[in-house]
Amino acid sequence: FAVVHVRGFQHKVTDGDLVMVKTDLGAPVGSKIILQKLQALGSRDFTLLGRPVLPLDLAHVEATIIEKSISRTKVHQFFKRRERKRVFSYTRTRQTLLRINNIIVTGRVGQTSDK
């Protein structure tokens, strides 16, 4: 498993997972991306914890962008008593669906150039 940091949010992922990221990553649908900001990495035998992130050349996660969409409409009502004021605001956020292809450990602990 790996804990990936993407645009301010943490996602625990394994191979083959689908992850909904609450932002538009900027890459087109079908492209492969590499996520390098890992906060934790582990398996049955070991667990590596970053403080706050692991070294960038230790491991990375490969993912494919499957879909880009917009979330459901969220309604926020602002109301002032005794003034007959009622304001509605509507928001929709962009979402990106990722498929995690694999988690690759590229270096050895303690022998990375990024400490």
Side-chain angles (χ1 to χ4, degrees):
F1 74 93
V3 177
V4 181
H5 185 270
V6 180
R7 301 266 174 114
F9 292 98
Q10 300 175 12
H11 303 280
K12 181 183 175 195
V13 297
T14 58
D15 291 343
D17 281 355
L18 289 174
V19 178
M20 182 67 75
V21 179
K22 296 181 181 178
T23 185
D24 185 11
L25 294 179
V29 175
S31 64
K32 295 188 185 244
I33 60 172
I34 295 176
L35 305 172
Q36 291 183 329
K37 204 168 188 183
L38 302 180
Q39 294 182 330
L41 181 69
S43 70
R44 292 181 184 161
D45 302 330
F46 70 93
T47 300
L48 299 174
L49 296 175
R51 296 180 186 164
V53 294
L54 291 171
L56 297 178
D57 56 349
L58 181 65
H60 64 269
V61 175
E62 294 179 354
T64 304
I65 296 180
I66 295 185
E67 176 184 330
K68 288 187 171 188
S69 62
I70 298 176
S71 68
R72 67 178 179 85
T73 303
K74 295 175 188 163
V75 180
H76 179 261
Q77 178 183 358
F78 178 74
F79 179 73
K80 281 194 167 180
R81 295 180 298 174
R82 295 181 295 275
E83 291 185 20
R84 290 185 174 180
K85 184 174 184 179
R86 179 176 294 156
V87 178
F88 291 97
S89 65
Y90 305 97
T91 58
R92 296 180 79 181
T93 57
R94 296 176 185 229
Q95 298 174 338
T96 304
L97 184 65
L98 300 175
R99 166 141 346 250
I100 304 301
N101 296 335
N102 49 15
I103 301 168
I104 299 173
V105 179
T106 56
R108 296 179 64 92
V109 177
Q111 297 179 356
T112 58
S113 61
D114 183 24
K115 300 272 177 172

